[in-house]
Tab-separated table of all heavy atoms in Angstrom:
chain	number	residue	atom	x	y	z
A	11	SER	N	56.948	105.394	-22.820
A	11	SER	CA	56.049	106.536	-22.786
A	11	SER	C	54.640	106.049	-23.036
A	11	SER	O	54.353	105.398	-24.036
A	11	SER	CB	56.461	107.551	-23.860
A	11	SER	OG	55.556	108.625	-23.887
A	12	VAL	N	53.733	106.367	-22.114
A	12	VAL	CA	52.372	105.866	-22.218
A	12	VAL	C	51.443	106.955	-22.739
A	12	VAL	O	51.764	108.138	-22.717
A	12	VAL	CB	51.855	105.347	-20.851
A	12	VAL	CG1	52.756	104.255	-20.323
A	12	VAL	CG2	51.742	106.485	-19.854
A	13	SER	N	50.276	106.536	-23.229
A	13	SER	CA	49.265	107.478	-23.683
A	13	SER	C	47.911	106.790	-23.605
A	13	SER	O	47.813	105.627	-23.224
A	13	SER	CB	49.552	107.917	-25.120
A	13	SER	OG	49.282	106.863	-26.023
A	14	LYS	N	46.868	107.507	-23.980
A	14	LYS	CA	45.518	106.950	-23.981
A	14	LYS	C	45.230	106.173	-25.266
A	14	LYS	O	44.191	105.538	-25.383
A	14	LYS	CB	44.484	108.069	-23.834
A	14	LYS	CG	44.640	108.913	-22.578
A	14	LYS	CD	43.671	110.080	-22.616
A	14	LYS	CE	43.919	111.026	-21.450
A	14	LYS	NZ	43.027	112.214	-21.507
A	15	ARG	N	46.153	106.250	-26.231
A	15	ARG	CA	45.907	105.673	-27.553
A	15	ARG	C	46.823	104.483	-27.798
A	15	ARG	O	48.008	104.507	-27.451
A	15	ARG	CB	46.140	106.748	-28.616
A	15	ARG	CG	45.656	106.356	-30.006
A	15	ARG	CD	45.823	107.529	-30.964
A	15	ARG	NE	45.044	108.687	-30.544
A	15	ARG	CZ	45.211	109.905	-31.034
A	15	ARG	NH1	46.157	110.125	-31.936
A	15	ARG	NH2	44.466	110.898	-30.623
A	16	LEU	N	46.279	103.441	-28.413
A	16	LEU	CA	47.030	102.216	-28.681
A	16	LEU	C	46.979	101.873	-30.159
A	16	LEU	O	45.991	102.136	-30.845
A	16	LEU	CB	46.441	101.042	-27.890
A	16	LEU	CG	46.419	101.147	-26.365
A	16	LEU	CD1	45.594	100.009	-25.779
A	16	LEU	CD2	47.828	101.128	-25.807
A	17	SER	N	48.061	101.255	-30.642
A	17	SER	CA	48.089	100.677	-31.982
A	17	SER	C	48.026	99.164	-31.831
A	17	SER	O	48.765	98.577	-31.040
A	17	SER	CB	49.371	101.078	-32.703
A	17	SER	OG	49.516	100.356	-33.918
A	18	VAL	N	47.139	98.537	-32.602
A	18	VAL	CA	46.973	97.082	-32.543
A	18	VAL	C	47.257	96.508	-33.925
A	18	VAL	O	46.682	96.961	-34.921
A	18	VAL	CB	45.540	96.697	-32.108
A	18	VAL	CG1	45.447	95.186	-31.903
A	18	VAL	CG2	45.145	97.424	-30.841
A	19	VAL	N	48.153	95.532	-33.988
A	19	VAL	CA	48.558	94.948	-35.265
A	19	VAL	C	48.451	93.432	-35.177
A	19	VAL	O	48.759	92.833	-34.135
A	19	VAL	CB	50.011	95.350	-35.623
A	19	VAL	CG1	50.424	94.732	-36.951
A	19	VAL	CG2	50.158	96.867	-35.681
A	20	SER	N	48.018	92.817	-36.271
A	20	SER	CA	48.007	91.357	-36.341
A	20	SER	C	48.258	90.944	-37.790
A	20	SER	O	48.175	91.761	-38.705
A	20	SER	CB	46.666	90.789	-35.853
A	20	SER	OG	45.721	90.784	-36.889
A	21	ARG	N	48.563	89.664	-37.985
A	21	ARG	CA	48.818	89.189	-39.350
A	21	ARG	C	47.531	88.869	-40.093
A	21	ARG	O	47.549	88.615	-41.285
A	21	ARG	CB	49.748	87.971	-39.334
A	21	ARG	CG	49.246	86.812	-38.531
A	21	ARG	CD	50.282	85.705	-38.446
A	21	ARG	NE	49.827	84.596	-37.628
A	21	ARG	CZ	49.020	83.633	-38.037
A	21	ARG	NH1	48.561	83.655	-39.279
A	21	ARG	NH2	48.658	82.650	-37.226
A	22	LEU	N	46.391	88.893	-39.398
A	22	LEU	CA	45.088	88.687	-40.022
A	22	LEU	C	44.275	89.974	-39.959
A	22	LEU	O	44.433	90.758	-39.025
A	22	LEU	CB	44.317	87.566	-39.300
A	22	LEU	CG	44.910	86.163	-39.357
A	22	LEU	CD1	44.034	85.188	-38.566
A	22	LEU	CD2	45.053	85.695	-40.803
A	23	PRO	N	43.409	90.219	-40.935
A	23	PRO	CA	42.599	91.442	-40.902
A	23	PRO	C	41.608	91.422	-39.745
A	23	PRO	O	41.173	90.360	-39.301
A	23	PRO	CB	41.875	91.421	-42.254
A	23	PRO	CG	41.864	89.985	-42.664
A	23	PRO	CD	43.128	89.390	-42.136
A	24	PHE	N	41.262	92.616	-39.254
A	24	PHE	CA	40.321	92.736	-38.148
A	24	PHE	C	38.892	92.926	-38.664
A	24	PHE	O	38.672	93.487	-39.727
A	24	PHE	CB	40.663	93.950	-37.273
A	24	PHE	CG	41.954	93.811	-36.525
A	24	PHE	CD1	42.906	94.821	-36.568
A	24	PHE	CD2	42.217	92.694	-35.752
A	24	PHE	CE1	44.084	94.715	-35.871
A	24	PHE	CE2	43.397	92.572	-35.048
A	24	PHE	CZ	44.341	93.591	-35.107
A	25	ILE	N	37.941	92.472	-37.856
A	25	ILE	CA	36.534	92.807	-38.067
A	25	ILE	C	36.185	93.857	-37.016
A	25	ILE	O	36.389	93.636	-35.818
A	25	ILE	CB	35.636	91.574	-37.920
A	25	ILE	CG1	35.987	90.539	-38.998
A	25	ILE	CG2	34.156	91.950	-37.995
A	25	ILE	CD1	35.258	89.216	-38.844
A	26	GLN	N	35.724	95.010	-37.481
A	26	GLN	CA	35.496	96.164	-36.606
A	26	GLN	C	34.707	95.804	-35.346
A	26	GLN	O	35.129	96.103	-34.230
A	26	GLN	CB	34.755	97.256	-37.394
A	26	GLN	CG	34.313	98.453	-36.562
A	26	GLN	CD	35.395	99.482	-36.370
A	26	GLN	OE1	36.294	99.601	-37.187
A	26	GLN	NE2	35.322	100.219	-35.281
A	27	GLU	N	33.568	95.144	-35.514
A	27	GLU	CA	32.699	94.860	-34.376
A	27	GLU	C	33.364	93.931	-33.362
A	27	GLU	O	33.226	94.109	-32.147
A	27	GLU	CB	31.376	94.236	-34.858
A	27	GLU	CG	30.494	95.161	-35.672
A	27	GLU	CD	30.982	95.330	-37.112
A	27	GLU	OE1	31.884	94.555	-37.534
A	27	GLU	OE2	30.482	96.227	-37.807
A	28	GLN	N	34.109	92.938	-33.860
A	28	GLN	CA	34.750	91.990	-32.956
A	28	GLN	C	35.879	92.641	-32.165
A	28	GLN	O	36.025	92.416	-30.965
A	28	GLN	CB	35.284	90.797	-33.755
A	28	GLN	CG	34.188	89.932	-34.348
A	28	GLN	CD	34.730	88.761	-35.139
A	28	GLN	OE1	35.929	88.675	-35.397
A	28	GLN	NE2	33.853	87.854	-35.541
A	29	LEU	N	36.678	93.464	-32.851
A	29	LEU	CA	37.789	94.117	-32.147
A	29	LEU	C	37.251	95.119	-31.125
A	29	LEU	O	37.787	95.233	-30.014
A	29	LEU	CB	38.705	94.824	-33.155
A	29	LEU	CG	40.072	95.232	-32.603
A	29	LEU	CD1	40.925	93.999	-32.301
A	29	LEU	CD2	40.822	96.134	-33.578
A	30	PHE	N	36.198	95.841	-31.492
A	30	PHE	CA	35.586	96.791	-30.563
A	30	PHE	C	35.106	96.061	-29.311
A	30	PHE	O	35.341	96.500	-28.185
A	30	PHE	CB	34.418	97.514	-31.237
A	30	PHE	CG	33.788	98.579	-30.381
A	30	PHE	CD1	34.166	99.899	-30.501
A	30	PHE	CD2	32.808	98.249	-29.444
A	30	PHE	CE1	33.583	100.880	-29.700
A	30	PHE	CE2	32.232	99.222	-28.634
A	30	PHE	CZ	32.623	100.548	-28.771
A	31	ALA	N	34.427	94.923	-29.511
A	31	ALA	CA	33.903	94.163	-28.379
A	31	ALA	C	35.029	93.676	-27.469
A	31	ALA	O	34.886	93.665	-26.240
A	31	ALA	CB	33.081	92.977	-28.879
A	32	LEU	N	36.160	93.284	-28.052
A	32	LEU	CA	37.293	92.805	-27.261
A	32	LEU	C	37.870	93.916	-26.396
A	32	LEU	O	38.055	93.749	-25.189
A	32	LEU	CB	38.375	92.241	-28.196
A	32	LEU	CG	39.658	91.753	-27.507
A	32	LEU	CD1	39.355	90.568	-26.586
A	32	LEU	CD2	40.704	91.365	-28.537
A	33	PHE	N	38.148	95.069	-26.986
A	33	PHE	CA	38.772	96.160	-26.230
A	33	PHE	C	37.772	96.904	-25.346
A	33	PHE	O	38.169	97.590	-24.412
A	33	PHE	CB	39.498	97.118	-27.182
A	33	PHE	CG	40.847	96.610	-27.609
A	33	PHE	CD1	40.966	95.719	-28.663
A	33	PHE	CD2	42.001	96.985	-26.935
A	33	PHE	CE1	42.204	95.217	-29.042
A	33	PHE	CE2	43.245	96.494	-27.314
A	33	PHE	CZ	43.353	95.607	-28.368
A	34	ASP	N	36.483	96.741	-25.615
A	34	ASP	CA	35.459	97.366	-24.787
A	34	ASP	C	35.299	96.640	-23.454
A	34	ASP	O	34.609	97.125	-22.560
A	34	ASP	CB	34.118	97.389	-25.537
A	34	ASP	CG	33.123	98.356	-24.924
A	34	ASP	OD1	33.569	99.395	-24.387
A	34	ASP	OD2	31.916	98.101	-24.978
A	35	LEU	N	35.949	95.473	-23.307
A	35	LEU	CA	35.949	94.789	-22.012
A	35	LEU	C	36.679	95.612	-20.956
A	35	LEU	O	36.433	95.475	-19.765
A	35	LEU	CB	36.605	93.411	-22.142
A	35	LEU	CG	35.823	92.370	-22.956
A	35	LEU	CD1	36.655	91.120	-23.159
A	35	LEU	CD2	34.515	92.030	-22.270
A	36	VAL	N	37.608	96.460	-21.397
A	36	VAL	CA	38.295	97.377	-20.479
A	36	VAL	C	37.490	98.672	-20.438
A	36	VAL	O	37.215	99.263	-21.477
A	36	VAL	CB	39.738	97.651	-20.947
A	36	VAL	CG1	40.418	98.660	-20.027
A	36	VAL	CG2	40.538	96.360	-20.997
A	37	PRO	N	37.080	99.131	-19.250
A	37	PRO	CA	36.250	100.335	-19.158
A	37	PRO	C	36.928	101.557	-19.781
A	37	PRO	O	38.136	101.730	-19.685
A	37	PRO	CB	36.072	100.531	-17.648
A	37	PRO	CG	36.286	99.178	-17.063
A	37	PRO	CD	37.312	98.511	-17.927
A	38	GLY	N	36.131	102.409	-20.406
A	38	GLY	CA	36.626	103.692	-20.894
A	38	GLY	C	36.964	103.751	-22.363
A	38	GLY	O	37.586	104.722	-22.817
A	39	LEU	N	36.571	102.746	-23.162
A	39	LEU	CA	36.881	102.777	-24.592
A	39	LEU	C	36.135	103.933	-25.271
A	39	LEU	O	34.918	104.057	-25.142
A	39	LEU	CB	36.484	101.453	-25.249
A	39	LEU	CG	36.756	101.341	-26.757
A	39	LEU	CD1	38.249	101.414	-27.052
A	39	LEU	CD2	36.171	100.055	-27.316
A	40	GLU	N	36.885	104.784	-25.976
A	40	GLU	CA	36.275	105.922	-26.669
A	40	GLU	C	36.038	105.612	-28.141
A	40	GLU	O	34.985	105.935	-28.681
A	40	GLU	CB	37.150	107.173	-26.528
A	40	GLU	CG	37.146	107.737	-25.106
A	40	GLU	CD	37.828	109.087	-25.018
A	40	GLU	OE1	38.704	109.374	-25.869
A	40	GLU	OE2	37.476	109.855	-24.105
A	41	TYR	N	37.032	105.029	-28.814
A	41	TYR	CA	36.787	104.608	-30.193
A	41	TYR	C	37.753	103.512	-30.613
A	41	TYR	O	38.822	103.330	-30.027
A	41	TYR	CB	36.849	105.787	-31.170
A	41	TYR	CG	38.215	106.381	-31.416
A	41	TYR	CD1	39.136	105.774	-32.277
A	41	TYR	CD2	38.577	107.580	-30.834
A	41	TYR	CE1	40.366	106.323	-32.521
A	41	TYR	CE2	39.822	108.150	-31.070
A	41	TYR	CZ	40.715	107.525	-31.922
A	41	TYR	OH	41.942	108.079	-32.153
A	42	CYS	N	37.337	102.784	-31.653
A	42	CYS	CA	38.148	101.714	-32.246
A	42	CYS	C	38.088	101.917	-33.753
A	42	CYS	O	37.021	101.804	-34.353
A	42	CYS	CB	37.584	100.352	-31.841
A	42	CYS	SG	38.265	98.963	-32.770
A	43	ASP	N	39.214	102.228	-34.349
A	43	ASP	CA	39.267	102.532	-35.781
A	43	ASP	C	40.106	101.481	-36.496
A	43	ASP	O	41.332	101.442	-36.349
A	43	ASP	CB	39.862	103.935	-35.989
A	43	ASP	CG	39.936	104.312	-37.457
A	43	ASP	OD1	39.159	103.754	-38.252
A	43	ASP	OD2	40.784	105.158	-37.821
A	44	VAL	N	39.438	100.594	-37.233
A	44	VAL	CA	40.137	99.563	-38.000
A	44	VAL	C	40.578	100.149	-39.338
A	44	VAL	O	39.762	100.715	-40.071
A	44	VAL	CB	39.235	98.334	-38.229
A	44	VAL	CG1	39.881	97.361	-39.205
A	44	VAL	CG2	38.956	97.642	-36.904
A	45	GLN	N	41.876	100.032	-39.622
A	45	GLN	CA	42.431	100.579	-40.862
A	45	GLN	C	42.836	99.432	-41.776
A	45	GLN	O	43.490	98.488	-41.344
A	45	GLN	CB	43.623	101.487	-40.534
A	45	GLN	CG	43.229	102.634	-39.608
A	45	GLN	CD	44.422	103.413	-39.102
A	45	GLN	OE1	45.565	103.052	-39.360
A	45	GLN	NE2	44.162	104.492	-38.376
A	46	ARG	N	42.454	99.513	-43.026
A	46	ARG	CA	42.710	98.428	-43.978
A	46	ARG	C	43.807	98.825	-44.967
A	46	ARG	O	43.811	99.924	-45.502
A	46	ARG	CB	41.423	98.083	-44.731
A	46	ARG	CG	40.282	97.721	-43.795
A	46	ARG	CD	39.084	97.194	-44.560
A	46	ARG	NE	37.956	96.951	-43.657
A	46	ARG	CZ	37.828	95.881	-42.892
A	46	ARG	NH1	38.753	94.945	-42.919
A	46	ARG	NH2	36.780	95.735	-42.102
A	47	ASP	N	44.738	97.909	-45.181
A	47	ASP	CA	45.804	98.097	-46.158
A	47	ASP	C	45.477	97.232	-47.379
A	47	ASP	O	45.471	95.999	-47.284
A	47	ASP	CB	47.151	97.681	-45.549
A	47	ASP	CG	48.311	97.966	-46.485
A	47	ASP	OD1	48.063	98.164	-47.691
A	47	ASP	OD2	49.462	97.981	-46.015
């Protein structure tokens, strides 16, 4: 089942600006929300 929203997980913490820049390479990015545990 597909949707417009994705979950991204890694074993290292994300840096908001870097992850945004990576996924913004695909046209149509609306938002990137990094969540910290």
Side-chain angles (χ1 to χ4, degrees):
S11 177
V12 302
S13 72
K14 302 174 187 177
R15 191 175 299 166
L16 300 170
S17 171
V18 186
V19 180
S20 84
R21 58 186 178 81
L22 296 179
F24 293 130
I25 297 174
Q26 173 84 26
E27 293 77 11
Q28 292 180 351
L29 195 68
F30 184 95
L32 177 64
F33 280 84
D34 196 32
L35 291 173
V36 177
L39 180 64
E40 289 189 334
Y41 71 79
C42 168
D43 180 24
V44 171
Q45 301 171 355
R46 304 188 185 280
D47 185 343

